[in-house]
Amino acid sequence: MKKITEYENKKVLVLGLAKSGVSAAKLLHELGALVTVNDFKQFDQNPEAQDLLTLGIRVVTGGHPIELLDEDFSLIVKNPGIPYSNPLVAKAISIQLPVLTEVELAYQIAECPIIGITGTNGKTTTTTMIGLLLNAERKNGTARLAGNIGYPASEVAEKASAADDIVMELSSFQLMGIQTFRPQIAVITNIYEAHLDYHGSREEYVKAKWAIQKNMQENDFLVLNWNQQELQELSKQTKAEIIPFSTKEKVAGAYLVDGKIYFKEEYIMLAAELGVPGSHNIENALAAISVAKLKDTPTEVIRKTLMVFTGVPHRTQYVGEISGRKFYNDSKATNILATEMALSGFDHSSLVLLAGGLDRGNSFDELVPSLKGIKAIILFGETKDKLHKAAVEAGIKTIYLTENVQTAVQEAYDFSEKNDTILLSPACASWDQYPNFELRGEAFIQAMHQLKDIEK
């Protein structure tokens, strides 16, 4: 990593722990900063804080006292999950104290190029695809995944050498805390309405996403979804070179024509050869191919790699087959749009959908067109009655209401027959019944394996 001196003897407050907070605190400590960590969780239930204390880092736990700001800090490094409406954060901003996220630190110390990926949907799949493509048959260095995908960016940047690439998934929350962050290549997979409870308005959400390019220059590349008029308009406001991708028209980047994928008129592969189903995954692949070609990855390597990529956990992930029924886990579909995209990849006449979860107050009227023709739907969680109404409106004949994901799997199996597909794509967050979408997905996979054991 770059040995920077700008934090030496500076008082820095790390607000919120989890993985990224721990990494930021350790890095700043190593860089000579006078670090104070503040976390809401009580000290006796906070192993991360206990660990940092043994390193000589000051910790304040059990709340976020505003009085901390009386201590003349030079800046705050904030956990992305803590909203800007938090009283301590709001006060810091009002007194013009810089509030960064840990990805800014990662950029400051990184010796190698950064490829940043953001968007409403498809970030993790696209990030994973890019990592696989850049590592396939690579001679020097490694493409290292980082950021919102689960590996703290500053920790990855600390280990990366000049020969590497950092492939960084970035949420809107993380991008709100950047100052000098400048990726060599940035990707925006798409922009739809999301996280309005955090951002307050769609305008602020889009502004946060668009920040990924704010420091980019003419020799950097910005890969944009040209299917979206909004991104076409925004593209006029950047210094970076635009690399568009589209499934609707031929563009000066990656595109789909008659089932074939091209990059700048060079044939790459058939869309049908992709190892993951769905039109949304064609878009993800086009974005990933754009990055791979910009990094000089050979076409045959791209084709071979994407043919065997079967998805990442909880994102239209194929998890197995029992008695001729295929099971797909799309627990990451925590909103209507993600479920619509998943549904576009399957034959509805043989599809049994499992859906439901946290009630955020929205209706499911806009999901109705995507539900039409589905063989059966099994509903659970707080939203099952609302989804029942949408299913009836869509004309689905077989509708079951059940308790949770585990019971839904049993119902789906009992009703389905050979050559059917059972898809978990909830269209809702998991927090009414499960701590996160990963555990909901694991419950689905576990229930499937229990069925498999019974079948044996």
Side-chain angles (χ1 to χ4, degrees):
M1 72 173 185
K2 290 180 191 169
K3 296 296 182 185
I4 59 173
T5 58
E6 63 190 83
Y7 293 111
E8 282 183 11
N9 298 313
K10 290 266 183 77
K11 293 184 72 175
V12 181
L13 177 62
V14 175
L15 189 61
L17 282 176
K19 287 181 185 176
S20 66
V22 170
S23 297
K26 287 180 177 178
L27 173 63
L28 287 162
H29 182 64
E30 188 180 334
L31 293 171
L34 306 172
V35 181
T36 297
V37 166
N38 174 223
D39 193 60
F40 195 80
K41 204 188 294 181
Q42 293 288 350
F43 185 77
D44 59 355
Q45 298 162 14
N46 200 327
E48 294 94 347
Q50 293 168 23
D51 177 47
L52 292 173
L53 187 64
T54 65
L55 299 176
I57 295 171
R58 179 188 175 212
V59 296
V60 178
T61 57
H64 298 306
I66 290 181
E67 296 75 35
L68 276 172
L69 297 180
D70 297 335
E71 297 188 23
D72 197 28
F73 288 106
S74 298
L75 74 150
I76 292 176
V77 178
K78 181 184 76 67
N79 183 289
I82 296 174
Y84 286 80
S85 57
N86 176 285
L88 192 152
V89 179
K91 178 72 185 297
I93 290 169
S94 74
I95 60 174
Q96 298 185 311
L97 184 63
V99 179
L100 308 180
T101 50
E102 173 253 2
V103 295
E104 174 70 18
L105 299 179
Y107 172 73
Q108 291 171 359
I109 64 164
E111 292 182 11
C112 63
I114 292 175
I115 299 160
I117 301 96
T118 195
T120 306
N121 290 310
K123 293 187 295 296
T124 301
T125 299
T126 302
T127 301
T128 306
M129 283 179 171
I130 291 169
L132 290 169
L133 290 171
L134 297 191
N135 279 326
E137 299 185 23
R138 187 180 181 120
K139 302 287 191 295
N140 298 307
T142 303
R144 297 171 176 265
L145 301 187
N148 201 52
I149 200 165
Y151 309 104
S154 57
E155 192 176 302
V156 174
E158 210 173 340
K159 295 172 183 171
S161 71
D164 293 340
D165 291 293
I166 298 175
V167 184
M168 193 180 295
E169 180 184 335
L170 294 158
S171 70
S172 56
F173 305 164
Q174 289 168 315
L175 288 167
M176 287 179 78
I178 61 171
Q179 281 185 342
T180 61
F181 181 86
R182 177 187 166 191
Q184 180 191 69
I185 302 172
V187 178
I188 301 181
T189 57
N190 47 58
I191 295 184
Y192 299 100
E193 199 164 285
H195 302 301
L196 298 195
D197 51 346
Y198 188 102
H199 292 283
S201 69
R202 190 181 197 282
E203 184 182 10
E204 287 299 312
Y205 173 64
V206 174
K207 182 179 168 187
K209 290 292 191 189
W210 188 239
I212 194 172
Q213 60 70 52
K214 72 177 183 179
N215 297 310
M216 294 177 78
Q217 301 299 317
E218 289 82 356
N219 58 339
D220 300 321
F221 298 97
L222 179 57
V223 179
L224 293 180
N225 188 335
W226 220 244
N227 289 348
Q228 294 199 299
Q229 188 65 38
E230 183 174 24
L231 286 173
Q232 290 189 34
E233 291 301 316
L234 283 168
S235 72
K236 298 167 186 173
Q237 303 170 25
T238 185
K239 291 180 182 176
E241 181 178 338
I242 301 297
I243 306 294
F245 67 90
S246 176
T247 57
K248 296 179 178 178
E249 60 180 313
K250 184 177 176 181
V251 293
Y255 55 92
L256 177 73
V257 173
D258 298 328
K260 296 174 182 175
I261 292 173
Y262 296 84
F263 182 79
K264 295 189 174 180
E265 301 196 353
E266 180 191 0
Y267 171 69
I268 306 295
M269 65 190 298
L270 294 171
E273 291 179 314
L274 292 171
V276 282
S279 59
H280 60 301
N281 278 319
I282 297 175
E283 291 185 16
N284 295 337
L286 291 174
I289 287 165
S290 298
V291 174
K293 294 304 286 184
L294 289 171
K295 299 293 279 186
D296 298 321
T297 306
T299 297
E300 189 52 32
V301 171
I302 292 173
R303 180 173 171 271
K304 279 188 205 167
T305 304
L306 292 182
M307 282 177 72
V308 297
F309 173 66
T310 56
V312 294
H314 315 296
R315 295 156 179 86
T316 329
Q317 172 198 12
Y318 174 67
V319 291
E321 182 175 323
I322 305 174
S323 304
R325 302 153 173 85
K326 290 182 176 174
F327 287 75
Y328 285 86
N329 166 29
D330 191 39
S331 184
K332 178 65 169 65
T334 57
N335 56 47
I336 290 169
L337 177 70
T339 293
E340 287 174 337
M341 288 182 162
L343 290 173
S344 73
F346 295 95
D347 175 5
H348 284 202
S349 66
S350 57
L351 183 65
V352 180
L353 174 66
L354 281 56
L358 182 74
D359 189 350
R360 281 180 157 153
N362 59 290
S363 77
F364 292 89
D365 295 346
E366 60 190 288
L367 186 60
V368 170
S370 298
L371 294 176
K372 289 183 176 176
I374 285 176
K375 183 172 183 175
I377 189 166
I378 321 289
L379 304 171
F380 54 87
E382 289 179 355
T383 55
K384 61 185 174 187
D385 292 328
K386 285 184 175 180
L387 281 161
H388 183 272
K389 183 184 172 190
V392 169
E393 199 174 327
I396 298 175
K397 297 287 190 289
T398 304
I399 305 170
Y400 292 99
L401 301 184
T402 190
E403 185 59 32
N404 53 38
V405 167
Q406 293 93 320
T407 56
V409 169
Q410 184 68 57
E411 297 265 16
Y413 180 78
D414 290 344
F415 170 78
S416 60
E417 53 198 344
K418 190 177 180 183
N419 298 322
D420 282 351
T421 296
I422 295 170
L423 168 68
L424 171 68
S425 189
C428 302
S430 63
W431 302 319
D432 60 330
Q433 294 182 311
Y434 303 91
N436 51 52
F437 72 80
E438 292 94 341
L439 286 174
R440 178 171 64 187
E442 291 302 327
F444 174 78
I445 295 168
Q446 187 178 11
M448 186 210 76
H449 285 308
Q450 285 172 345
L451 283 174
K452 195 177 270 189
D453 292 341
I454 293 166
E455 284 302 301
K456 285 178 185 174

